[in-house]
Amino acid sequence: MGWFHTAGAGGRDPSRYVVTVRRTEDGRTAGAGLVLGHDTVLTCAHVVNAALGRDMFHTRAPMAVDVPVEVSRSAVGSQRHLARVAHWIPPRAPDGGPVRPGAREWLGDLAVLRVDVPAPGLPDGPGQAALSVGQKLRAWHGSGADATVARLTVAAVHGPHGYVDGAPTGMAVDVGYSGGPLWCQEENAVVGLVAGHFLPVDAAGHPLPLDFQNVIRRSWVIPWQAVEAELRPLGVLDACRPVPPDTDEHAFGLLLQAIEDALPSPTGRGDRARRLAQLCGVEHGSDVRPPSAQDFAAFLLTHPRALAALTGLLRREDPRSTDRLLAAGALSRTPRLLSPSEYADLRGHLRALDPAVSARFPEAVRAALPHLATQPGGDSVDALVDRLEILPGDGHASDGERRVPALLRVVEYVAALAPDTPRARLRMWSDRVAGRLGIGRSALGERRYDAQEWARSVRGRAARVRVLVQVTKVGRGRHRLRIWCDEGAGPRQVSTESVRTYTASEAAREVLRVLDSLTPPPEDERPPLVEVLVDRGGLNLPVDEWAAQGRAELVPGVLGVEYPLVVHCPELLRRNGRFVSRWRSRWSRLDSGKALVVSDPADRDTLYSQLVNQLDTVRVSVDVPPGPPRDRIVQTCLALGIPVVMWDRGEDGPSHSVRHMARVATRELPDGVHSYRAGAWANPPEFPGRPVLAWADADRTVPRLHLSEPQEGP
C-alpha cells in the first residue's frame, strides 16, 4: 500500500463507488455508474439516454450536454455534480447495426463521463478484475442506498455477456441498477457492470404476469474484460488505473535521486508529502513517520498528476530540482502534463466557452499542430485534451530552453478564437502552467503571436450556416431524407420522419421549407450552404436540379439555383480511415494547396500512387466523360482524402463547367458553382455544363449516419 494510499488499496466501503445518474427533467434516478477516477465516471450509454429523455438505444453521442450525477463522499452524505460525455460507445447489435426494440441483449453500451468537480476531485476508483463463473457479487441501485444491495452469483460468462442469478430472498436487480458496479468481495474489486434483466415471457416472447411460477432473478451484465476491450483503444483505463512502478526503470532511479537531493530532511519531506496527498485527493500514512524517498518516487510514477502537483510546490523555491524532476518524469509514460487543479481549471474554462468556439476546437488543433503525423481525435473536447496531454512539445526551442507542450499551444489557438474575457482566462491559465514548467515567456509569447495571426486570417471565414441533407434512394424516383441544420454549433436534426419517401419535387419542397425557417446572422449575407450527404452510389444524383414545381408554386424553387449545393460522401472516408489524417492535413492547406486536373480515363490506374502522399494537392478536377472510369477516379480521390473534387455530370467531351471553374479560388468554389448553375438555368447555351462539387470540410462535423433509427422498422 505504501505511505500514499492509492486506488484499489482496499478498506473502502464498495457502495461508495456507486454513482447516481439522475434524469435532467425531474431529477429522478435514471441508473447507476461507477467512480473510475478522480474526475471520471463509467456507466452504460442507455443510462445516459434515459437521463436525457432519449430513446434507450439512441446511438449519437450527446455532445456538450450536462448529465446530473451524485457521488457519495461519506456514509451519510453525497454531492451533486454535472458531467459530460467524454467517450461514447453506443449500444449496437451483433452485426454492428442499431439495436431493435425488444432486443434482450446487445454489445457496446458504455459511456465515460467527465465530472465537473474541483480538484482534487472524486475518490480513487476501485480495483478491477475479470468476471468468472461462481463469483459471489453485490450490486446496488443507482440511488446508492445501502438497503438496495442485491446478492448475485455468476452463472455463466460468454464473451461480452455475463449472466448472474439473484438470491431467492432479498433485493432483486430491477430498473435503476443498470450501469452500476458488480463488486466481488473475494477479489476486492469491480468485475463488471449491470446491463439488463430478463423478464418472464411465453414461447412467443410475450410478457407473462409475475407470480410464484414465473419468477426470474437472472440478469445479464458486461464483464470487466469486455469493458477493457471496449475502452482500451481510448486509453481511458490507463489514466484511471494505477499500476505499481517498475523500480528498475531509469525514471525511478532518477526521481529517487532528485527527491533525496530536493527533500533531504524527513520533516520537510513529510510536510511536502502531506500537501501532495491533499492536492491529489489520496489518503496518506502516519503524520509522525514521513514517507521514504522510495515511497515518494513510487507515488510519482503511480498517480498520473502527482509529479505535476509536486513541481508546482517546488518551482518557486527550488527551480533546479523542479527541472530535474520534470526531466526524470519525462522518461516514464505515467506522469501527465497537468496537476489536478490545472486540469480541473482548464476543463472549467473550456466548458464555459461559447458552443460556436468549442465546435472549432478540432480546427484549432490542426492549425496549432500542422506537422503532427496523426491528428488526435476523440468524441469530445475532454477526449481531445486527454490525447493532447501526452504529446511532446514543438521543435521551436533554443538550446537549454523547455519546449512548449502541444496542449499549451492548442489552448493558445482556442483562446485566440474566444471573446475577451474567456481569452484572458485561458491565457492566464497558460501563463501559470508555463511558469511551473519553466518555459520562457518568449517561447510562449511566440506561440501566442502565431495563434493571433492564425485567428486574424480565419476571422473573415466565419462558420457558414448550412443545411445537411442525407439522401438515400429507395426505389425508382423515390428518396428518403434526413435533415440537419448547423448554425455554427454543430448539426441538430430537424427532420421528424426518416421512413417517408419523396419524389424529387417533394424533396426539394421539404428542403426549401427547412431553409425558409433559418435566420442567418445579420452580419453574414451569404446564403446557407446545402450539403447533400450520399453514399458512393449517389454521387451523381442531380439533387441540385431538383425543383419544387407545382401549381401552387410561384417560382420553380430549384435547389442548386437558389443555394450553393455540394455533395459529401462520408462513407468513402470512413471505409478508408487511414487517410483521414491526410484529408485533414490537406484541408488545412486549402488556400495554398495545389489543384490537379485529370483528363485521361486511364489516369485512374496511376492516381493512387500519385496522390496518396501528395499532401499539397487539395483540389482535383475530373474532366473525363461519364462512365465507370470517371466514377472510379472521383471515388479514388475522395477515398484518398482529397477534400475538393469537381466533375461534370453530363458532358461527353471536355467540360465547360470544369474549365470555367478553374479560374475560381478553391475556397470560393461552392459560390462559384452556385453562380454557374444560376447561369445555366437562365442561359443554357452559354452555360452548358452540369457541375458537381464534392466538398469535405474537415472543420465542420457531420452527423453519424446510419440507415434507420433504432426504433424504426427495416
Side-chain angles (χ1 to χ4, degrees):
M1 180 181 295
W3 194 88
F4 296 94
H5 300 170
T6 53
R12 178 175 172 81
D13 179 355
S15 68
R16 304 283 79 83
Y17 297 121
V18 179
V19 176
T20 304
V21 181
R22 297 198 175 275
R23 298 179 185 271
T24 56
E25 183 178 7
D26 54 20
R28 297 174 61 187
T29 300
L34 163 69
V35 173
L36 201 59
H38 289 295
D39 63 353
T40 307
V41 165
L42 177 66
T43 185
C44 288
H46 79 261
V47 171
V48 175
N49 283 334
L52 299 178
R54 310 199 306 176
D55 181 83
M56 177 176 177
F57 299 127
H58 200 95
T59 58
R60 202 169 77 177
M63 308 305 291
V65 177
D66 290 328
V67 180
V69 298
E70 191 170 310
V71 183
S72 297
R73 300 295 294 186
S74 67
V76 294
S78 60
Q79 291 185 352
R80 292 196 178 188
H81 306 282
L82 295 177
R84 287 190 179 181
V85 173
H87 298 282
W88 181 256
I89 303 173
R92 64 181 186 273
D95 62 1
V99 181
R100 298 297 180 185
R104 306 185 75 182
E105 298 172 309
W106 48 87
L107 303 175
D109 197 11
L110 296 173
V112 178
L113 308 181
R114 287 290 157 74
V115 184
D116 187 15
V117 57
L122 307 177
D124 282 333
Q128 302 143 19
L131 186 79
S132 60
V133 175
Q135 287 174 329
K136 303 296 184 182
L137 311 178
R138 283 184 282 169
W140 291 264
H141 184 266
S143 63
D146 294 336
T148 65
V149 63
R151 293 173 295 151
L152 309 167
T153 302
V154 182
V157 179
H158 295 293
H161 299 116
Y163 304 95
V164 298
D165 292 339
T169 59
M171 297 296 291
V173 171
D174 202 348
V175 176
Y177 282 76
S178 290
L182 293 162
W183 180 262
C184 178
Q185 189 65 39
E186 183 179 358
E187 299 279 356
N188 194 32
V190 167
V191 295
L193 301 181
V194 178
H197 179 68
F198 290 102
L199 296 174
V201 295
D202 60 20
H206 300 121
L208 290 172
L210 292 175
D211 56 31
F212 291 110
Q213 296 297 320
N214 298 317
V215 175
I216 293 182
R217 288 201 170 212
R218 170 156 292 181
S219 303
W220 74 269
V221 302
I222 306 174
W224 194 257
Q225 50 267 44
V227 172
E228 287 189 328
E230 295 279 9
L231 298 185
R232 187 178 298 114
L234 306 176
V236 174
L237 297 177
D238 293 337
C240 296
R241 179 170 50 196
V243 177
D246 181 0
T247 56
D248 292 330
E249 70 171 308
H250 193 42
F252 184 87
L254 291 177
L255 281 172
L256 182 62
Q257 186 62 53
I259 291 167
E260 289 175 341
D261 293 343
L263 302 170
S265 165
T267 301
R269 191 162 60 247
D271 291 340
R272 294 298 188 195
R274 285 187 290 274
R275 178 62 177 144
L276 179 61
Q278 181 184 12
L279 292 175
C280 294
V282 302
E283 298 177 359
H284 60 77
S286 170
D287 288 332
V288 177
R289 184 188 66 83
S292 66
Q294 288 82 356
D295 287 333
F296 228 126
F299 181 58
L300 297 182
L301 295 181
T302 301
H303 191 295
R305 304 201 180 278
L307 180 63
L310 178 61
T311 56
L313 295 175
L314 297 178
R315 167 59 68 184
R316 180 172 297 180
E317 62 186 56
D318 193 351
R320 182 177 179 183
S321 294
T322 303
D323 289 338
R324 286 182 62 192
L325 288 167
L326 289 170
L331 300 177
S332 170
R333 298 180 61 180
T334 299
R336 290 292 182 119
L337 176 70
L338 304 180
S339 70
S341 60
E342 290 167 349
Y343 182 67
D345 289 346
L346 176 61
R347 291 186 63 245
H349 295 327
L350 294 178
R351 287 188 62 173
L353 290 175
D354 184 273
V357 177
S358 298
R360 301 182 69 180
F361 199 103
E363 178 186 358
V365 172
R366 291 190 289 274
L369 309 172
H371 304 300
L372 204 62
T374 302
Q375 290 287 337
D379 297 325
S380 64
V381 170
D382 282 323
L384 275 171
V385 169
D386 288 348
R387 300 191 180 193
L388 288 167
E389 249 198 302
I390 63 176
L391 295 179
D394 58 41
H396 300 285
S398 305
D399 291 341
E401 188 178 43
R402 288 187 64 83
R403 296 178 175 181
V404 179
L407 178 59
L408 261 65
R409 182 162 187 166
V410 170
V411 168
E412 288 295 336
Y413 276 65
V414 174
L417 296 173
D420 291 344
T421 300
R423 181 191 308 137
R425 289 173 179 158
L426 286 169
R427 287 179 173 173
M428 290 173 64
W429 178 90
S430 291
D431 289 339
R432 288 195 298 271
V433 176
R436 176 183 62 78
L437 295 173
I439 295 171
R441 295 183 63 86
S442 60
L444 185 62
E446 183 181 347
R447 308 305 170 273
R448 189 165 290 172
Y449 176 80
D450 292 342
Q452 289 173 327
E453 290 300 299
W454 169 76
R456 189 175 294 114
S457 70
V458 301
R459 195 161 287 128
R461 304 199 304 260
R464 185 175 196 164
V465 174
R466 60 178 182 157
V467 170
L468 300 98
V469 186
Q470 182 187 8
V471 178
T472 308
K473 290 189 67 174
V474 292
R476 187 176 182 85
R478 309 291 299 187
H479 307 83
R480 186 172 290 138
L481 303 181
R482 291 165 62 88
I483 306 177
W484 298 261
C485 290
D486 182 3
E487 290 93 345
R492 56 179 179 86
Q493 188 168 341
V494 296
S495 58
T496 57
E497 300 181 33
S498 59
V499 293
R500 177 185 171 187
T501 63
Y502 300 81
T503 64
S505 180
E506 292 169 342
R509 190 174 295 110
E510 177 65 12
V511 175
L512 289 171
R513 181 190 67 78
V514 173
L515 286 160
D516 285 340
S517 69
L518 293 177
T519 305
E523 67 274 9
D524 191 352
E525 298 180 351
R526 299 171 298 178
L529 177 71
V530 178
E531 188 170 332
V532 180
L533 308 174
V534 295
D535 58 21
R536 61 194 301 181
L539 284 166
N540 285 301
L541 277 175
V543 180
D544 54 286
E545 299 174 3
W546 288 358
Q549 293 176 331
R551 295 181 178 180
E553 306 293 340
L554 295 176
V555 294
V558 183
L559 291 180
V561 173
E562 295 193 22
Y563 295 93
L565 184 148
V566 299
V567 298
H568 184 23
C569 184
E571 169 198 354
L572 287 170
L573 272 175
R574 287 179 183 165
R575 288 190 176 182
N576 301 274
R578 62 189 183 278
F579 298 119
V580 169
S581 61
R582 293 174 172 86
W583 162 56
R584 289 173 173 154
S585 180
R586 289 188 176 100
W587 181 263
S588 68
R589 298 175 170 89
L590 195 67
D591 295 309
S592 59
K594 298 178 181 178
L596 175 68
V597 177
V598 180
S599 56
D600 186 345
D603 286 350
R604 69 184 181 90
D605 298 323
T606 59
L607 202 59
Y608 167 77
S609 59
Q610 182 178 0
L611 290 178
V612 64
N613 290 313
Q614 201 173 74
L615 298 185
D616 58 348
T617 298
V618 302
R619 166 180 173 180
V620 174
S621 298
V622 184
D623 197 2
V624 173
R630 186 193 66 188
D631 294 342
R632 176 71 179 274
I633 291 172
V634 168
Q635 293 179 24
T636 298
C637 292
L638 296 176
L640 290 174
I642 302 297
V644 180
V645 182
M646 184 185 168
W647 67 99
D648 195 287
R649 187 184 297 116
E651 295 195 23
D652 292 331
S655 169
H656 177 271
S657 65
V658 170
R659 296 196 309 273
H660 186 88
M661 288 299 113
R663 301 189 295 269
V664 178
T666 301
R667 193 175 292 276
E668 305 303 322
L669 274 177
D671 292 303
V673 171
H674 175 214
S675 298
Y676 187 97
R677 288 168 177 156
W681 181 265
N683 189 355
E686 187 174 346
F687 298 92
R690 300 173 66 195
V692 184
L693 178 63
W695 184 264
D697 188 337
D699 293 332
R700 306 293 294 274
T701 56
V702 173
R704 186 169 294 276
L705 307 178
H706 48 81
L707 295 178
S708 61
E709 290 282 12
Q711 68 268 22
E712 296 163 1

